Amino acid sequence: MHPSPDISVVVPVFDEEGAAPALAREIATAFSDRNIEIIFVDDASRDSTVAVLSDLKRELPQLRLLRHQRNSGQSRAIRTGVMAARAPIIVTLDGDGQNDPADGPALVEALAAAGPQVALVGGERVKRQDSRAKKIASRLGNGVRKRLLGDTANDTGCGLKAFRRQAFLELPYFDHIHRYLPALMLREGYQVAFLPVGHRHRQTGASKYTNLGRLWASASDLLGVMWLQSRSRRPQGVDEV
């Protein structure tokens, strides 16, 4: 494994013993021409996710495996991975295999071409392979969030994103932050962009979210992010004199 990778791919997983090994191999294939590290962060899984990924490290030397001692949620797992990452560019994917790793390089290329003021390029899922109820709930939630926060994002629930590690570390952390990265990047004075990406059926395991659970969390999160936006004061640049 190269000591200084150019890209760190961070994947949070919880009870994904069926999806994780195939996903890790797909990531390695998608980025085969890049200098990468692959960081899976296990959020205290109850199944054999850690065991199957540990066995895979012999096959994929670029694979790193971190494990939370206590379940702490997807946002904390992403942050754990970003903190441990050694590359300046981060790519995140959901651990259930519904994000296609083959879309990742295009996000990285768009981020590199956009210049330093663009801190994040997010995926926007097309032809979503979710239930009708989940798609309706997502469409409503994204519409309300976009209107209230003005973050320009049509699909913040897409786990596939490429962003600059340093910019992420400048953001205030809270649970569920992964759904508000565009708004928070804009708050810090960065720009964001989006590209269409694919979406796949879940082949193994079960979703860890429910529409009702998302609704309750989203209401309090939205109020919190709106408060953060209202308390933001930027110097518009810093000069050393």
Side-chain angles (χ1 to χ4, degrees):
M1 183 169 56
H2 197 283
S4 300
D6 299 320
I7 303 166
S8 296
V9 182
V10 174
V11 186
V13 286
F14 175 61
D15 289 352
E16 295 291 357
E17 61 183 2
L23 180 59
R25 293 187 179 99
E26 283 191 285
I27 293 169
T29 298
F31 289 90
S32 60
D33 60 343
R34 311 293 183 98
N35 176 22
I36 70 164
E37 63 178 358
I38 305 170
I39 304 175
F40 273 70
V41 183
D42 179 78
D43 193 25
S45 290
R46 301 158 296 185
D47 62 4
S48 61
T49 299
V50 169
V52 296
L53 286 173
S54 294
D55 290 342
L56 196 61
K57 290 172 70 174
R58 291 190 291 271
E59 177 185 333
L60 301 177
Q62 65 271 56
L63 176 62
R64 299 172 60 192
L65 178 58
L66 308 177
R67 185 176 190 271
H68 286 169
Q69 295 181 5
R70 182 175 66 181
N71 182 268
S72 302
Q74 184 174 350
S75 283
R76 178 60 73 174
I78 290 172
R79 188 171 188 271
T80 294
V82 174
M83 294 287 287
R86 293 176 289 206
I89 300 299
I90 306 293
V91 174
T92 61
L93 300 95
D94 287 341
D96 57 14
Q98 290 193 265
N99 297 140
D100 189 345
D103 290 322
L107 299 187
V108 173
E109 290 169 8
L111 183 64
Q117 275 305 109
V118 175
L120 177 146
V121 177
E124 291 186 344
R125 293 167 289 185
V126 295
K127 298 181 180 178
R128 285 187 59 176
Q129 304 301 308
D130 286 323
S131 67
R132 178 178 174 81
K134 184 174 286 188
K135 286 189 284 189
I136 291 173
S138 179
R139 190 177 303 119
L140 289 173
N142 277 307
V144 171
R145 188 215 67 257
K146 185 178 179 181
R147 182 176 180 84
L148 293 178
L149 301 183
D151 60 11
T152 73
N154 294 318
D155 182 18
T156 59
C158 180
L160 184 55
K161 297 179 176 71
F163 53 83
R164 303 187 192 280
R165 179 177 183 269
Q166 183 55 45
F168 177 91
L169 296 178
E170 294 171 13
L171 306 180
Y173 174 77
F174 56 89
D175 198 17
H176 302 139
I177 187 179
H178 64 281
R179 295 183 176 276
Y180 297 91
L181 291 183
L184 294 171
M185 292 289 189
L186 292 170
R187 176 181 180 269
E188 291 301 314
Y190 292 109
Q191 299 171 20
V192 297
F194 304 94
L195 287 178
V197 297
H199 192 236
R200 309 186 293 193
H201 284 288
R202 173 187 271 275
Q203 299 297 318
T204 66
S207 175
K208 311 305 186 295
Y209 297 100
T210 65
N211 288 338
L212 185 60
R214 277 201 183 104
L215 177 63
W216 173 250
S218 295
S220 60
D221 291 341
L222 266 173
L223 291 174
V225 176
M226 290 170 66
W227 180 84
L228 284 171
Q229 289 180 325
S230 72
R231 305 304 296 168
S232 175
R233 300 172 66 185
R234 297 198 302 270
Q236 304 301 324
V238 180
D239 299 320
E240 183 172 354
V241 297

